[in-house]
Amino acid sequence: MPNTISTEQQNKINQIIVDSQDIHIHIIDQKTYEILYYNDRMKKVFKDIEIGKPFEVLNEVHRSLEATKGFGTSLCVLDNVTGGENSWVVRYAPIDWAGENDAFVIYGRRTEVDAGEHSDMDLLTGVSTFTHFKEQFDGILKKATEDYCMFIFDIDKFAYINDTWGYDVGDRILQKMAKLLHGYIKEEELICRMGEDRFAMLLKYKGEAALERIIEAVDFILENLQKQYFSEIKISVMTGIYILEDKDDLFNNVVNKANIARKSIKGSHKNTFKIYTPELEKKVLQEKMIEERMISALENNEFVPYLQPKFNLHTKKICGAEALVRWQAYDRMIYPDEFIPVFEKNGFITVLDFAIYEKVIQYLGDCLQKGITTHPISLNASREHIKDSDFVSKLFGLLAKYDVPLSLIEIEVTEGIFVEDKILLNNFICALREQGVQVSVDDFGTAYSSLNILKDVEIDVIKIDKGFLHNIDLSSDNNESMKDKVVIKHIVAMAKELNFSIVCEGVETVEQVEFLKGIGVEIGQGYVFARPMTIQEFQEKFLLY
Ligand code: C2E
Ligand code: CA
Ligand code: CA
């Protein structure tokens, strides 16, 4: 007898298998997600499911199909719907229903297994899971005849996006991002969602210019995405890239190196990328060391304020100082450029700044108590503080504790801050100025929006960035230096007309002093007068009893 069965017999067998396995089935229209069919088990669990209507509860599952348009497996947890603690393994495939390839059949069952084990595809975004990516990695490299590179993309401040705009918006960003990146994947290349807001891609390496083109395209499309869907959200992506050295590169090593490159993108507020180099790895290790030591360093009082005086250019007399932190570690002196960016990234800067403020304010209080005439000291405030609504009250608490009038301090905020949240920043500055604290814009002239700051923000002092002065060749009158001189001269004139006081930092030579005086700058700070020094030295050199 031939081993063939009729369709009817086949259907009976299928039915028995389905019944015995507790499989929940439904079919949806590929375009509208309307339910076209569901089986009894499905209705038992999902009581509100209805033919002819999209089923909101499973929206997330259905949306993820859009990204794949194909066959896949996913694992999802639907506790909120089914009231149980089970996860579901869900599979789906395109199916001809009323027309050609017009529907998806989605079938799943509850499972006790651990998430990840069975899932090749990330449910939310439709791209591979990290586990699946890893499984395919070796196979691809073994066959490879070309060079490969690994990208790891990380959406900046994703938690903040979720917290502020809700998980729906966060999910949509992830889905769009996945779709966008997926567009770059060709044969023998891979993409996955690594975790929350990180994606990885294994691509053929076609030279650095090609890498940059991908990054540029991602930036461009994200910008459009942002304009179209999330107008108020700035989506920045940090990308770490590792160019594989050979085909035997181990998966963990490749991921690790791309991650090192990604993590090295510190505190940058633009979409940006880094390619792994051994020097970069060294820098990252250095930063790790800094992070490991920071808490004990604070407890051991290793962070100390140095003071650099500011001078009136005309009278040549001291008129103030700036507090600049130094880390006196047991083995060496560490300068702010090495640790401030790390602390800005991990948030420790807000703690460190207040530790420095306290030391400076305590010193001012001491001077007052001893009857020593002293000058105002400016304190650097990191961008992290503008989100802290308690900043002003904490600062005033310190002033009260040491009985220091607020006229003896000034707060410096760096110009880079002004491209950020304008409302937050204005609130921050207003809160300080309302109480009478002077606020200055540090590093003025380094951002593109410099002139807008003059008209948009209520501040007292403009601190012209040292780069400005250093670019000008005072000994030459060639076209370039002429232009630089004209720009700085008119900035100063404009700032004066708008009633800002002007300080120029980084003054290193007598010629620069003369030039600055000539264009109307009143106050200078720089090595020509004095380098930053300990409080003790400062007191000995500049203060009178
Ligand atoms: P900044 O606020 O622009 O400080 C001026 C920097 O220029 C200081 O570097 C100072 O030592 C240096 N400098 C002073 N005179 C001259 C000069 O004539 N020529 C040149 N080339 N440089 C000069 P420093 O102390 O290494 O600080 C670097 C940056 O770190 C500061 O730049 C500031 O942004 C940040 N920083 C320093 N201390 C603190 C702090 O306590 N809190 C925060 N949040 N940031 C700080
Ligand atoms: Ca400063
Ligand atoms: Ca500065």
Side-chain angles (χ1 to χ4, degrees):
M1 208 167 100
N3 189 15
T4 54
I5 52 171
S6 68
T7 313
E8 199 183 326
Q9 285 167 323
Q10 179 68 61
N11 285 346
K12 278 184 186 158
I13 297 171
N14 291 351
Q15 197 56 52
I16 289 167
I17 296 172
V18 168
D19 287 349
S20 71
Q21 296 213 353
D22 194 19
I23 291 177
H24 300 67
I25 307 170
H26 69 291
I27 293 177
I28 57 163
D29 185 288
Q30 276 197 18
K31 290 205 180 71
T32 61
Y33 302 162
E34 281 163 15
I35 303 287
L36 303 172
Y37 165 82
Y38 54 80
N39 71 350
D40 289 347
R41 283 184 199 276
M42 188 75 194
K43 182 76 176 174
K44 237 182 233 162
V45 179
F46 300 96
K47 297 202 169 46
D48 299 333
I49 194 164
E50 255 184 84
I51 299 285
K53 290 193 177 157
F55 190 41
E56 300 293 328
V57 170
L58 294 179
N59 241 351
E60 215 174 80
V61 181
H62 297 158
R63 252 191 326 204
S64 72
L65 302 183
E66 192 197 4
T68 57
K69 290 271 185 262
F71 188 87
T73 307
S74 256
L75 197 104
C76 53
V77 181
L78 293 169
D79 288 356
N80 53 339
V81 192
T82 60
E85 293 215 328
N86 293 319
S87 310
W88 290 70
V89 174
V90 180
R91 294 199 164 76
Y92 37 90
I95 177 176
D96 299 340
W97 192 248
E100 203 174 296
N101 205 7
D102 57 345
F104 282 120
V105 57
I106 302 156
Y107 50 106
R109 62 185 164 78
R110 292 172 202 257
T111 172
E112 305 295 321
V113 287
D114 181 31
E117 236 180 67
H118 276 267
S119 51
D120 289 348
M121 202 193 78
D122 172 57
L123 178 68
L124 179 66
T125 62
V127 297
S128 283
T129 58
F130 187 54
T131 317
H132 191 49
F133 183 90
K134 185 175 175 180
E135 282 160 7
Q136 292 172 293
F137 179 90
D138 279 343
I140 288 208
L141 283 196
K142 257 192 206 107
K143 285 191 282 176
T145 50
E146 295 173 69
D147 291 337
Y148 271 86
C149 56
M150 177 81 151
F151 279 65
I152 294 182
F153 299 90
D154 181 3
I155 301 176
D156 194 19
K157 302 205 186 79
F158 190 70
Y160 179 69
I161 293 175
N162 269 339
D163 288 349
T164 319
W165 285 278
Y167 284 81
D168 256 9
V169 172
D171 284 355
R172 253 165 56 212
I173 293 178
L174 290 175
Q175 285 164 341
K176 297 276 173 196
M177 175 92 181
K179 211 168 168 183
L180 157 70
L181 295 178
H182 194 262
Y184 282 97
I185 297 295
K186 308 223 168 60
E187 235 174 275
E188 307 295 304
E189 295 181 333
L190 298 173
I191 178 169
C192 76
R193 180 170 166 215
M194 289 179 81
E196 179 44 12
D197 56 344
R198 285 202 299 281
F199 293 89
M201 295 205 301
L202 180 72
L203 297 184
K204 288 174 188 157
Y205 177 60
K206 305 236 158 71
E208 262 186 46
L211 293 186
E212 282 178 31
R213 276 202 300 278
I214 293 184
I215 301 289
E216 269 168 28
V218 170
D219 285 353
F220 177 74
I221 295 172
L222 274 180
E223 210 180 300
N224 280 338
L225 206 69
Q226 181 181 338
K227 281 188 198 140
Q228 205 179 336
Y229 295 98
F230 322 106
S231 54
E232 343 74 302
I233 313 173
K234 172 96 186 90
I235 318 169
S236 304
V237 174
M238 297 172 293
T239 310
I241 302 171
Y242 172 60
I243 300 158
L244 275 67
E245 272 163 18
D246 57 57
K247 314 243 170 331
D248 303 323
D249 244 339
L250 294 176
F251 182 76
N252 285 350
N253 178 51
V254 171
V255 171
N256 192 21
K257 289 193 162 148
N259 260 331
I260 286 172
R262 177 183 62 78
K263 285 185 201 151
S264 72
I265 306 167
K266 288 262 147 91
S268 160
H269 292 264
K270 287 192 287 171
N271 297 340
T272 182
F273 74 98
K274 270 269 159 61
I275 300 174
Y276 171 88
T277 59
E279 295 77 56
L280 206 67
E281 178 158 13
K282 215 170 125 199
K283 194 174 151 233
V284 169
L285 286 176
Q286 172 73 10
E287 288 178 3
K288 213 170 138 215
M289 181 279 288
I290 283 174
E291 284 194 310
E292 280 163 8
R293 281 168 59 174
M294 66 187 190
I295 303 280
S296 61
L298 185 75
E299 286 166 1
N300 296 340
N301 278 317
E302 290 175 26
F303 296 106
V304 289
Y306 269 42
L307 298 179
Q308 185 180 34
K310 296 181 203 171
F311 283 85
N312 181 307
L313 297 178
H314 299 275
T315 63
K316 300 265 171 9
K317 289 214 170 102
I318 181 173
C319 59
E322 174 177 10
L324 295 158
V325 62
R326 296 290 179 263
W327 181 349
Q328 280 171 334
Y330 62 89
D331 49 350
R332 69 183 174 112
M333 169 87 107
I334 311 177
Y335 287 85
D337 287 345
E338 214 175 304
F339 57 86
I340 298 260
V342 183
F343 295 169
E344 280 183 338
K345 180 108 179 169
N346 68 17
F348 187 65
I349 188 67
T350 52
V351 179
L352 174 65
D353 273 351
F354 269 96
I356 294 297
Y357 299 168
E358 174 142 21
K359 289 193 165 123
V360 171
I361 292 170
Q362 184 176 20
Y363 157 72
L364 287 169
D366 274 358
C367 287
L368 291 177
Q369 259 198 353
K370 292 180 190 149
I372 301 171
T373 326
T374 183
H375 303 281
I377 297 183
S378 54
L379 305 167
N380 287 289
S382 150
R383 58 179 0 115
E384 296 309 306
H385 292 301
I386 64 166
K387 291 180 221 135
D388 176 8
S389 51
D390 290 336
F391 179 87
V392 177
S393 63
K394 282 193 280 189
L395 183 67
F396 281 52
L398 285 178
L399 291 168
K401 182 172 169 188
Y402 297 101
D403 214 0
V404 171
L406 43 87
S407 58
L408 278 185
I409 59 155
E410 183 180 311
I411 294 292
E412 294 192 6
V413 288
T414 165
E415 192 193 50
I417 273 189
F418 289 81
V419 296
E420 300 212 346
D421 195 324
K422 285 251 159 52
I423 297 171
L424 267 184
L425 181 69
N426 258 322
N427 292 345
F428 178 79
I429 292 180
C430 285
L432 284 165
R433 292 188 78 243
E434 256 169 29
Q435 305 289 330
V437 178
Q438 294 235 339
V439 178
S440 64
V441 183
D442 202 355
D443 307 331
F444 184 82
T446 49
Y448 279 113
S449 52
S450 304
L451 291 181
N452 286 336
I453 292 174
L454 294 184
K455 78 180 172 50
D456 290 348
V457 193
E458 302 283 323
I459 32 146
D460 308 282
V461 184
I462 300 271
K463 218 171 165 189
I464 296 177
D465 186 63
K466 50 182 174 289
F468 240 104
L469 204 54
H470 295 177
N471 281 340
I472 300 178
D473 181 359
L474 289 173
S475 62
S476 154
D477 259 340
N478 67 23
N479 201 18
E480 257 336 274
S481 20
M482 270 304 293
K483 277 190 198 160
D484 286 335
K485 283 181 212 163
V486 169
V487 170
I488 191 169
K489 188 172 143 189
H490 285 279
I491 285 181
V492 170
M494 191 156 55
K496 284 184 83 161
E497 208 169 323
L498 293 168
N499 282 329
F500 298 112
S501 343
I502 300 155
V503 179
C504 194
E505 64 177 15
V507 190
E508 291 181 351
T509 64
V510 178
E511 290 75 34
Q512 288 171 340
V513 173
E514 291 310 312
F515 169 73
L516 291 171
K517 269 163 67 179
I519 61 170
V521 176
E522 301 123 29
I523 300 169
Q525 178 185 343
Y527 297 163
V528 71
F529 304 111
R531 289 188 176 247
M533 60 193 83
T534 62
I535 285 184
Q536 169 113 29
E537 279 176 275
F538 181 79
Q539 209 160 10
E540 283 162 11
K541 281 202 176 125
F542 297 103
L543 295 194
L544 302 169
Y545 285 85

